[in-house]
Amino acid sequence: MSSSRKILNSLQEKILILDFGSQYTQLIARRIRELNAYCEIYPFNTSPEPDKSVKGVILSGSPFSVRDRNAPRPDLTKIKGIIPLLGICYGAQYLVHGYGGEVLPSIAREYGRANLIHIDTRDALFRNVSPGTQIWMSHGDTISRLPAGYKITGSTNDVKAGAYHIENEKTWGIQFHPEVYHTDEGMRILRNFIVDICGMSCDWTPDSFAESGIEALKVQLGNDRIILGLSGGVDSSVVAALLNKAAGKNLTCIFVDNGLLRKNEFNKVLESYRGLGLNVIGVDARLRFLDGLKGITEPEQKRKIIGKIFIDIFEEEAQKVKNVKWLGQGTIYPDVIESMSVNGPSATIKSHHNVGGLPEKMNLKVIEPLRLLFKDEVRKVGQVLGLPHFILKRHPFPGPGLAIRILGEVTTEKLEILREADDIFIEGLRKHDLYDTVWQAGATLLPVQSVGVMGDERTYENTIVLRAVNSTDGMTADWSHLPYEFLGAVSNEIINKIKGINRVVYDISSKPPATIEWE
């Protein structure tokens, strides 16, 4: 367990979510956070022992059937019947199957919208929930027989045991998903569990996190020196602001120009950081990165080369700062969750948040102040800390930068073409008040040439792809429906102003099945 989590564990009441591999587990956590209640996700087999700070436990759904030989089977001996417990979908079926009831395959797979035609509104979980309310089902099994002491509290036309309560226990099970938008009164059901049943005070806010986080960091860091690599993005900027409040002059930030940034980005961001009072070292390493990428076309190889060169440069600069004990990182909660496995704990953090073996080589301790926050929560904390709009509202930008928006080999000429096209697109979004309506946008240069006509001449030039998506945290994304007139104007400007481009296309694929970046 990280030191950041240990400090918060001692200060903050919480809900634990045991993850059985459901695609909706993160969504459960997000909905609880929207109620200003703090929660944490753990793989079902690595859950901590509940202490006084744990007010309740939620069992998630799962792609498994409870009847599968390798199905997740958590040990609930220190939870069930002791603290409030809510099983959702698989979680509800496990509480039946593992305690004397029966779960069988559904006659027809129960997936999609349904209605709770019967609700026991006297039950605490369904207080003020409307009979007939729409819910969302997503399971291939169904509860066919409840154990003794289990009382049905909700039914649909097809599912008799749509919800139940165990008598003389604060234990509930529901075979539908309250966390998805399709369940009309899902937030009310979650609120009933979190507030009325678990007794959460719901004081988890960006203000409270910033305040308690700074005080905790002061205690943790003392008078130690700390280094932090800045990327110009929201996460690292908010980490820098938090650490600066806690450590002041003991914090040294390193901002590396890898030659793969957007137009004028290095100087703009460096100036804004210094304006915030950060102690920042700016490093011009453009030639080293470009030399390292010569002749490289495979995307993962590009990422590894960029990562290695960054680590080398960061280490060189960090060695110049004396008596450093800590390395700050901008890891956020989706990164932590992705690194965990329901089949066993994993210590692997996503590569773009990991500086290789640097902490071990330099004998540094790692500190990750944002590791328990979702992306939108990070932005809210940044607002509390007074970070400027220019930084807080910046779209996410990939760690390898424009290198993975140039399909094929990265060259100086291709970078200049892409920078100009990207700048026209991004500045166009700002000019037309569209920038803040989009979660992430950028241009990609394809290794595809096509025939065009300019004046009286035929051309055979390159293709630029414009990409804009809407998302909450990048786990899923949908393409942004930008106005045709705007896209037409941007296309004309790119083709007319940038030599080497004669075709512009707009990417209308969503994630999944596509990814946000092309590489």
Side-chain angles (χ1 to χ4, degrees):
M1 184 183 294
S2 76
S3 52
S4 305
R5 178 168 268 174
K6 283 179 183 175
I7 287 176
L8 276 166
N9 275 6
S10 66
L11 299 174
Q12 185 72 49
E13 63 179 17
K14 65 179 74 67
I15 297 293
L16 297 186
I17 302 168
L18 300 192
D19 181 24
F20 299 96
S22 169
Q23 61 179 320
Y24 298 131
T25 302
Q26 277 201 51
L27 195 52
I28 298 171
R30 294 192 58 80
R31 294 292 174 260
I32 294 173
R33 296 279 183 95
E34 286 171 17
L35 295 170
N36 291 332
Y38 179 62
C39 62
E40 292 182 10
I41 297 173
Y42 286 85
F44 74 93
N45 54 357
T46 59
S47 59
E49 284 196 19
D51 56 30
K52 290 182 180 179
S53 69
V54 178
K55 299 299 182 182
V57 175
I58 292 177
L59 308 181
S60 83
S62 176
F64 290 95
S65 162
V66 292
R67 296 173 298 102
D68 291 345
R69 187 164 57 89
N70 297 322
R73 292 179 175 85
D75 180 2
L76 302 178
T77 54
K78 296 181 181 179
I79 298 172
K80 184 176 177 293
I82 300 170
I83 59 176
L85 177 63
L86 173 64
I88 295 175
C89 196
Y90 177 95
Q93 293 172 358
Y94 177 79
L95 289 171
V96 170
H97 178 78
Y99 293 86
E102 188 174 50
V103 176
L104 295 175
S106 304
I107 296 173
R109 188 166 183 263
E110 291 156 358
Y111 181 86
R113 292 175 175 84
N115 298 91
L116 281 179
I117 56 170
H118 164 71
I119 295 176
D120 183 354
T121 54
R122 297 167 300 174
D123 184 83
L125 190 66
F126 290 111
R127 188 171 292 120
N128 297 320
V129 175
S130 311
T133 188
Q134 178 179 285
I135 57 173
W136 182 263
M137 295 282 198
S138 181
H139 54 263
D141 291 342
T142 196
I143 296 168
S144 58
R145 179 173 53 82
L146 288 170
Y150 285 51
K151 176 187 175 185
I152 292 175
T153 55
S155 305
T156 70
N157 280 322
D158 300 317
V159 182
K160 184 177 181 182
Y164 62 79
H165 173 220
I166 302 180
E167 294 175 340
N168 302 316
E169 281 187 27
K170 289 187 174 183
T171 302
W172 285 261
I174 52 179
Q175 288 202 86
F176 59 91
H177 289 271
E179 70 274 18
V180 302
Y181 287 113
H182 306 299
T183 297
D184 288 345
E185 297 179 73
M187 285 296 282
R188 179 167 292 168
I189 294 168
L190 287 174
R191 178 183 292 277
N192 286 343
F193 181 71
I194 299 300
V195 179
D196 297 342
I197 294 171
C198 297
M200 293 281 283
S201 57
C202 296
D203 58 359
W204 170 255
T205 64
D207 297 70
S208 67
F209 175 87
E211 182 180 350
S212 62
I214 291 167
E215 292 307 310
L217 287 168
K218 285 179 178 178
V219 172
Q220 187 177 8
L221 295 171
N223 201 37
D224 294 346
R225 302 206 70 178
I226 180 169
I227 54 171
L228 171 70
L230 292 175
S231 68
V234 175
D235 301 339
S236 70
S237 300
V238 174
V239 168
L242 268 175
L243 291 174
N244 194 44
K245 294 274 188 185
K249 292 182 179 179
N250 284 333
L251 171 67
T252 300
C253 302
I254 299 170
F255 185 31
V256 178
D257 185 355
N258 58 13
L260 307 170
L261 302 175
R262 285 174 155 153
K263 185 176 180 180
N264 301 323
E265 184 172 25
F266 181 72
N267 291 330
K268 281 182 185 176
V269 174
L270 188 61
E271 184 180 328
S272 68
Y273 279 146
R274 287 174 175 161
L276 291 170
L278 295 177
N279 177 24
V280 186
I281 298 170
V283 183
D284 184 351
R286 289 173 292 179
L287 292 179
R288 285 178 67 173
F289 282 91
L290 289 174
D291 286 345
L293 289 169
K294 279 182 180 175
I296 305 300
T297 60
E298 204 276 321
E300 190 56 29
Q301 196 176 356
K302 287 184 194 176
R303 291 177 184 272
K304 288 179 178 177
I305 289 169
I306 293 166
K308 183 182 184 307
I309 295 172
F310 174 80
I311 290 168
D312 291 343
I313 293 168
F314 192 89
E315 183 182 9
E316 291 166 14
E317 295 299 324
Q319 294 281 10
K320 299 175 186 177
V321 184
K322 303 302 179 185
N323 302 316
V324 174
K325 292 189 178 180
W326 295 88
L327 171 68
Q329 289 192 356
T331 310
I332 63 175
Y333 206 31
D335 304 320
V336 176
I337 295 167
E338 285 179 5
S339 75
M340 298 187 298
S341 167
V342 297
N343 295 315
S346 168
T348 304
I349 300 295
K350 286 164 61 177
S351 59
H352 63 278
H353 280 306
N354 193 332
V355 288
L358 190 62
E360 292 80 14
K361 286 169 70 176
M362 296 186 65
N363 195 28
L364 299 178
K365 294 182 282 187
V366 173
I367 189 165
E368 301 167 310
L370 305 180
R371 66 177 281 111
L372 300 174
L373 297 185
F374 288 99
K375 191 78 173 187
D376 56 325
E377 294 172 326
V378 172
R379 283 197 167 96
K380 290 173 183 174
V381 169
Q383 287 177 327
V384 171
L385 296 172
L387 266 65
H389 183 276
F390 163 70
I391 290 178
L392 279 184
K393 294 298 183 180
R394 291 189 74 211
H395 293 171
F397 189 66
L402 298 181
I404 58 167
R405 292 182 178 176
I406 295 173
L407 274 62
E409 183 182 5
V410 178
T411 66
T412 301
E413 181 185 10
K414 289 178 182 177
L415 280 167
E416 288 309 309
I417 289 174
L418 181 56
R419 271 199 193 94
E420 292 301 321
D422 180 83
D423 188 62
I424 290 171
F425 185 30
I426 297 300
E427 291 307 310
L429 288 169
R430 294 187 195 279
K431 191 187 307 178
H432 290 82
D433 294 325
L434 293 169
Y435 186 85
D436 290 341
T437 69
V438 170
W439 190 75
Q440 181 176 343
T444 296
L445 179 62
L446 300 187
V448 174
Q449 292 184 313
S450 62
V451 174
V453 178
M454 290 186 177
D456 294 326
E457 298 180 2
R458 288 169 65 84
T459 60
Y460 195 62
E461 294 180 337
N462 298 293
T463 301
I464 282 285
V465 178
L466 304 181
R467 179 79 158 136
V469 298
N470 288 319
S471 179
T472 301
D473 50 29
M475 303 298 292
T476 62
D478 196 12
W479 63 279
S480 300
H481 294 232
L482 297 175
Y484 294 149
E485 296 80 7
F486 167 75
L487 291 172
V490 168
S491 174
N492 287 338
E493 188 173 353
I494 288 173
I495 291 171
N496 289 334
K497 288 187 176 180
I498 304 174
K499 186 177 181 182
I501 300 296
N502 70 352
R503 193 175 297 272
V504 175
V505 299
Y506 188 52
D507 184 346
I508 61 169
S509 50
S510 297
K511 176 186 178 181
T515 54
I516 295 175
E517 301 294 342
W518 279 52
E519 285 194 345

